[in-house]
Every structure is written in C-alpha cells, then in structure tokens.
Amino acid sequence: MIALGKYSNLEILRDTSVGLFLGDEEGNDVLLPNKYVPEEFEIGDFINVFCYLDHEERIVATTLEPFVMVDQFQLLEVAEVNDFGAFMDWGLEKHLLVPFREQRNKMQEGQWYVVHCYLDEKTNRLVASNKLDKFLSNDLLTVKVLDEVDLVVTRFTDLGWEVIVNNQHKGLVYANEVFKKVAVGDKLKGYIKHIRPDNKIDVALQPIGYQSLEPAANLIYEKLLAHGGKLNLHDKSDPEDIKRQLQMSKKTFKKGIGALYKERKIEIKSDSIHLIE
C-alpha cells in the first residue's frame, strides 16, 4: 500500500527516463525519481521508500530518511517563515509546513520546536502542528505504574518537564527529580511513577522502587572502576555532590551503595567508598 508519510515496500514495475515506477498490491504506482534510483536493481525487486507530496503536489517516493513520519512527534528546525506559515527542515527536499493556526506561538526562522506530523484530511497534505495537546489524550490510559515508557520532552514549566508518553499521553517529570541534563526534544526512557485520579501521569527518569537498585549499583560500580576504585562520596555526602558526580539522588545513591555493600563489592568509609579487591 502506498501511504503518505510512511515507508512502503514497493515493487519495481518499470524503468523510465525520469525514474523508476513502483507499485503496490492494489495496482497503485508512484515515481521514484532518478536521483534516488539505486545503482543496481532489477524489475520485480522490492524497495523500501518514503512517500510524500512533491512541490507540484504529486505523490512521489524517496530513499531519503525523513526526521519524522506521520503521527509522530519530533524536534525540528524552522528553515523558513513566509505568508503561509513556518516550514520545517525534516530531511527532505520539500519542507514540512506548520500553518500559522497550528503554532502555539509565532515560530521564528532558525529556532527549534517539537511538532506533530499528521495528514490533513481536508487537503490530503502532510503538515505539522506545534499545538501538541490536541494529539494527546489521557482519557483512556495504556500505561500503568512501574511501566517503562518512551518519552519526548516538550517544554519546561514551574513544576518540571512536560513529556509525551509512548507517543500518546501527556506526563510530567518533576524538576526536583531530574538529576541529569534534559532539553526540549530529548527522547528518553522513563518509568510511570504515579497515576492520579484525574489520569494525570507522574513520570520518573530512573527505575522505581526495587527496580532502581541494580541500575544504581551498576552505575556506582562503573564509576569506581573508572576512578581507580575510590569515590569521595559516602552516605553523609551533600546531595548536590552526588548529583554532580553520578546524576542520581542521594536516596538512590544510598540504595546503590547498600546493594554493593551487601554483595561485598565495596567498603564504606567515613569520607569515601572503595572497591574491595
């Protein structure tokens, strides 16, 4: 099937002066221009291509890899702003339009924004929107507490970082629970910490509960190996020192060294921790 904004595995039907015509099982065909034709091919071969509308509004195939596909969120740069809206660089020859009505605030050339790519049913064109909430819903959640999830960071608020959860839901990572550098557009792994009665989702960037012991212990162990078997940290260390050196909270650090101590891998001294030979 030839679908706009997605990859399609299509059969090479014929070779022409302008490129290869590719077809699907339903009898539809699309042009792969000469500039994208592979050096070696045979009629009947299948090729994986991305389909979108070219400058003349015709469906065309390309072997270029777009930065975003339909129904996805992605951080993109504004390449140009004109009377129609903002045009985002998404890795293809024709830029991706964000109409003015789909901009939360007026977009500026050279700036980066998280957008959602979608197929406009009225025009049958691929466009993007910076009004992300309209594409997210927490009415019917597909996640539960402790689940590992995929996150896209969208913006910073007074409470913390707003994130997109599994490309479907809206979540929040509280600012005082972030122990590493985070920026808009980052794609991270997260963990569902709490779901409120109104279906608002609290997300953590570290595994929760007993799940956090092994990763924290491993990270501390690796840091010890990298620093000659000694770290000038201990259970009385300032939380900021721990955060700066290990990107974790003091609570997680204490759990980690506790796990290593039980496994007799470290010795805890008054001013440091040491690997046991």
PDB file of all heavy atoms in Angstrom, residues 225-243:
ATOM      1  N   LEU A 225      35.271   1.817  39.130  1.00  0.00           N
ATOM      2  CA  LEU A 225      36.283   1.234  38.253  1.00  0.00           C
ATOM      3  C   LEU A 225      37.016   2.311  37.465  1.00  0.00           C
ATOM      4  O   LEU A 225      38.237   2.243  37.275  1.00  0.00           O
ATOM      5  CB  LEU A 225      35.627   0.235  37.290  1.00  0.00           C
ATOM      6  CG  LEU A 225      35.130  -1.079  37.883  1.00  0.00           C
ATOM      7  CD1 LEU A 225      34.362  -1.873  36.833  1.00  0.00           C
ATOM      8  CD2 LEU A 225      36.286  -1.910  38.436  1.00  0.00           C
ATOM      9  N   ALA A 226      36.265   3.315  37.013  1.00  0.00           N
ATOM     10  CA  ALA A 226      36.849   4.382  36.197  1.00  0.00           C
ATOM     11  C   ALA A 226      37.717   5.332  37.013  1.00  0.00           C
ATOM     12  O   ALA A 226      38.531   6.069  36.444  1.00  0.00           O
ATOM     13  CB  ALA A 226      35.741   5.161  35.496  1.00  0.00           C
ATOM     14  N   HIS A 227      37.551   5.325  38.350  1.00  0.00           N
ATOM     15  CA  HIS A 227      38.295   6.250  39.208  1.00  0.00           C
ATOM     16  C   HIS A 227      39.229   5.509  40.157  1.00  0.00           C
ATOM     17  O   HIS A 227      39.444   5.921  41.310  1.00  0.00           O
ATOM     18  CB  HIS A 227      37.329   7.144  39.990  1.00  0.00           C
ATOM     19  CG  HIS A 227      36.611   8.145  39.157  1.00  0.00           C
ATOM     20  ND1 HIS A 227      35.518   7.822  38.383  1.00  0.00           N
ATOM     21  CD2 HIS A 227      36.852   9.481  38.929  1.00  0.00           C
ATOM     22  CE1 HIS A 227      35.095   8.905  37.739  1.00  0.00           C
ATOM     23  NE2 HIS A 227      35.890   9.915  38.035  1.00  0.00           N
ATOM     24  N   GLY A 228      39.784   4.433  39.687  1.00  0.00           N
ATOM     25  CA  GLY A 228      40.792   3.724  40.473  1.00  0.00           C
ATOM     26  C   GLY A 228      40.266   3.040  41.708  1.00  0.00           C
ATOM     27  O   GLY A 228      41.038   2.776  42.647  1.00  0.00           O
ATOM     28  N   GLY A 229      38.982   2.763  41.744  1.00  0.00           N
ATOM     29  CA  GLY A 229      38.416   2.018  42.869  1.00  0.00           C
ATOM     30  C   GLY A 229      37.987   2.869  44.047  1.00  0.00           C
ATOM     31  O   GLY A 229      37.615   2.325  45.106  1.00  0.00           O
ATOM     32  N   LYS A 230      37.996   4.190  43.880  1.00  0.00           N
ATOM     33  CA  LYS A 230      37.624   5.061  45.001  1.00  0.00           C
ATOM     34  C   LYS A 230      36.777   6.226  44.521  1.00  0.00           C
ATOM     35  O   LYS A 230      37.031   6.808  43.465  1.00  0.00           O
ATOM     36  CB  LYS A 230      38.883   5.601  45.683  1.00  0.00           C
ATOM     37  CG  LYS A 230      38.602   6.601  46.804  1.00  0.00           C
ATOM     38  CD  LYS A 230      39.894   7.178  47.372  1.00  0.00           C
ATOM     39  CE  LYS A 230      39.613   8.238  48.433  1.00  0.00           C
ATOM     40  NZ  LYS A 230      40.849   8.857  48.961  1.00  0.00           N
ATOM     41  N   LEU A 231      35.739   6.556  45.288  1.00  0.00           N
ATOM     42  CA  LEU A 231      34.954   7.765  45.080  1.00  0.00           C
ATOM     43  C   LEU A 231      34.852   8.511  46.404  1.00  0.00           C
ATOM     44  O   LEU A 231      34.586   7.907  47.449  1.00  0.00           O
ATOM     45  CB  LEU A 231      33.541   7.417  44.591  1.00  0.00           C
ATOM     46  CG  LEU A 231      33.383   6.955  43.150  1.00  0.00           C
ATOM     47  CD1 LEU A 231      31.923   6.583  42.877  1.00  0.00           C
ATOM     48  CD2 LEU A 231      33.845   8.026  42.174  1.00  0.00           C
ATOM     49  N   ASN A 232      35.064   9.819  46.337  1.00  0.00           N
ATOM     50  CA  ASN A 232      34.971  10.637  47.552  1.00  0.00           C
ATOM     51  C   ASN A 232      33.519  10.994  47.856  1.00  0.00           C
ATOM     52  O   ASN A 232      33.152  12.163  47.987  1.00  0.00           O
ATOM     53  CB  ASN A 232      35.824  11.891  47.409  1.00  0.00           C
ATOM     54  CG  ASN A 232      37.302  11.569  47.333  1.00  0.00           C
ATOM     55  OD1 ASN A 232      37.785  10.676  48.045  1.00  0.00           O
ATOM     56  ND2 ASN A 232      38.016  12.255  46.471  1.00  0.00           N
ATOM     57  N   LEU A 233      32.711   9.963  47.933  1.00  0.00           N
ATOM     58  CA  LEU A 233      31.302  10.093  48.297  1.00  0.00           C
ATOM     59  C   LEU A 233      30.979   9.054  49.359  1.00  0.00           C
ATOM     60  O   LEU A 233      31.597   7.982  49.403  1.00  0.00           O
ATOM     61  CB  LEU A 233      30.399   9.863  47.066  1.00  0.00           C
ATOM     62  CG  LEU A 233      30.498  10.876  45.929  1.00  0.00           C
ATOM     63  CD1 LEU A 233      29.699  10.382  44.731  1.00  0.00           C
ATOM     64  CD2 LEU A 233      29.995  12.250  46.371  1.00  0.00           C
ATOM     65  N   HIS A 234      30.004   9.372  50.181  1.00  0.00           N
ATOM     66  CA  HIS A 234      29.609   8.452  51.253  1.00  0.00           C
ATOM     67  C   HIS A 234      28.184   8.783  51.663  1.00  0.00           C
ATOM     68  O   HIS A 234      27.553   9.672  51.082  1.00  0.00           O
ATOM     69  CB  HIS A 234      30.568   8.580  52.446  1.00  0.00           C
ATOM     70  CG  HIS A 234      30.800  10.008  52.870  1.00  0.00           C
ATOM     71  ND1 HIS A 234      30.003  10.652  53.789  1.00  0.00           N
ATOM     72  CD2 HIS A 234      31.712  10.919  52.448  1.00  0.00           C
ATOM     73  CE1 HIS A 234      30.432  11.889  53.942  1.00  0.00           C
ATOM     74  NE2 HIS A 234      31.469  12.091  53.137  1.00  0.00           N
ATOM     75  N   ASP A 235      27.653   8.059  52.632  1.00  0.00           N
ATOM     76  CA  ASP A 235      26.240   8.233  52.982  1.00  0.00           C
ATOM     77  C   ASP A 235      25.935   9.557  53.660  1.00  0.00           C
ATOM     78  O   ASP A 235      24.764   9.901  53.862  1.00  0.00           O
ATOM     79  CB  ASP A 235      25.739   7.068  53.851  1.00  0.00           C
ATOM     80  CG  ASP A 235      26.559   6.869  55.112  1.00  0.00           C
ATOM     81  OD1 ASP A 235      27.495   7.661  55.343  1.00  0.00           O
ATOM     82  OD2 ASP A 235      26.260   5.926  55.868  1.00  0.00           O
ATOM     83  N   LYS A 236      26.963  10.342  53.985  1.00  0.00           N
ATOM     84  CA  LYS A 236      26.748  11.671  54.566  1.00  0.00           C
ATOM     85  C   LYS A 236      27.057  12.793  53.565  1.00  0.00           C
ATOM     86  O   LYS A 236      27.013  13.974  53.921  1.00  0.00           O
ATOM     87  CB  LYS A 236      27.629  11.860  55.816  1.00  0.00           C
ATOM     88  CG  LYS A 236      27.424  10.820  56.909  1.00  0.00           C
ATOM     89  CD  LYS A 236      26.021  10.884  57.497  1.00  0.00           C
ATOM     90  CE  LYS A 236      25.906   9.885  58.648  1.00  0.00           C
ATOM     91  NZ  LYS A 236      24.508   9.854  59.196  1.00  0.00           N
ATOM     92  N   SER A 237      27.360  12.433  52.320  1.00  0.00           N
ATOM     93  CA  SER A 237      27.738  13.436  51.317  1.00  0.00           C
ATOM     94  C   SER A 237      26.591  14.380  51.012  1.00  0.00           C
ATOM     95  O   SER A 237      25.410  14.033  51.147  1.00  0.00           O
ATOM     96  CB  SER A 237      28.172  12.745  50.023  1.00  0.00           C
ATOM     97  OG  SER A 237      29.394  12.080  50.178  1.00  0.00           O
ATOM     98  N   ASP A 238      26.952  15.588  50.590  1.00  0.00           N
ATOM     99  CA  ASP A 238      25.960  16.571  50.164  1.00  0.00           C
ATOM    100  C   ASP A 238      25.225  16.051  48.923  1.00  0.00           C
ATOM    101  O   ASP A 238      25.860  15.554  47.992  1.00  0.00           O
ATOM    102  CB  ASP A 238      26.659  17.885  49.834  1.00  0.00           C
ATOM    103  CG  ASP A 238      25.678  19.005  49.550  1.00  0.00           C
ATOM    104  OD1 ASP A 238      25.060  18.977  48.463  1.00  0.00           O
ATOM    105  OD2 ASP A 238      25.553  19.905  50.391  1.00  0.00           O
ATOM    106  N   PRO A 239      23.894  16.138  48.901  1.00  0.00           N
ATOM    107  CA  PRO A 239      23.127  15.654  47.735  1.00  0.00           C
ATOM    108  C   PRO A 239      23.585  16.264  46.413  1.00  0.00           C
ATOM    109  O   PRO A 239      23.549  15.597  45.373  1.00  0.00           O
ATOM    110  CB  PRO A 239      21.691  16.071  48.065  1.00  0.00           C
ATOM    111  CG  PRO A 239      21.645  16.131  49.555  1.00  0.00           C
ATOM    112  CD  PRO A 239      23.008  16.619  49.971  1.00  0.00           C
ATOM    113  N   GLU A 240      24.036  17.528  46.441  1.00  0.00           N
ATOM    114  CA  GLU A 240      24.485  18.171  45.209  1.00  0.00           C
ATOM    115  C   GLU A 240      25.785  17.556  44.692  1.00  0.00           C
ATOM    116  O   GLU A 240      26.000  17.464  43.481  1.00  0.00           O
ATOM    117  CB  GLU A 240      24.661  19.679  45.423  1.00  0.00           C
ATOM    118  CG  GLU A 240      23.353  20.442  45.568  1.00  0.00           C
ATOM    119  CD  GLU A 240      22.455  20.284  44.350  1.00  0.00           C
ATOM    120  OE1 GLU A 240      22.964  20.407  43.210  1.00  0.00           O
ATOM    121  OE2 GLU A 240      21.255  20.024  44.528  1.00  0.00           O
ATOM    122  N   ASP A 241      26.666  17.125  45.613  1.00  0.00           N
ATOM    123  CA  ASP A 241      27.893  16.457  45.191  1.00  0.00           C
ATOM    124  C   ASP A 241      27.573  15.135  44.510  1.00  0.00           C
ATOM    125  O   ASP A 241      28.182  14.774  43.494  1.00  0.00           O
ATOM    126  CB  ASP A 241      28.805  16.209  46.398  1.00  0.00           C
ATOM    127  CG  ASP A 241      29.413  17.490  46.945  1.00  0.00           C
ATOM    128  OD1 ASP A 241      29.480  18.482  46.183  1.00  0.00           O
ATOM    129  OD2 ASP A 241      29.812  17.506  48.123  1.00  0.00           O
ATOM    130  N   ILE A 242      26.611  14.421  45.067  1.00  0.00           N
ATOM    131  CA  ILE A 242      26.207  13.140  44.480  1.00  0.00           C
ATOM    132  C   ILE A 242      25.570  13.357  43.119  1.00  0.00           C
ATOM    133  O   ILE A 242      25.876  12.658  42.148  1.00  0.00           O
ATOM    134  CB  ILE A 242      25.219  12.414  45.427  1.00  0.00           C
ATOM    135  CG1 ILE A 242      25.923  12.052  46.736  1.00  0.00           C
ATOM    136  CG2 ILE A 242      24.636  11.171  44.754  1.00  0.00           C
ATOM    137  CD1 ILE A 242      24.994  11.552  47.825  1.00  0.00           C
ATOM    138  N   LYS A 243      24.712  14.345  43.025  1.00  0.00           N
ATOM    139  CA  LYS A 243      24.045  14.638  41.760  1.00  0.00           C
ATOM    140  C   LYS A 243      25.060  15.030  40.697  1.00  0.00           C
ATOM    141  O   LYS A 243      24.957  14.604  39.535  1.00  0.00           O
ATOM    142  CB  LYS A 243      23.025  15.761  41.968  1.00  0.00           C
ATOM    143  CG  LYS A 243      22.294  16.197  40.709  1.00  0.00           C
ATOM    144  CD  LYS A 243      21.301  17.305  41.020  1.00  0.00           C
ATOM    145  CE  LYS A 243      20.607  17.802  39.767  1.00  0.00           C
ATOM    146  NZ  LYS A 243      19.649  18.903  40.054  1.00  0.00           N
TER     147      LYS A 243
END
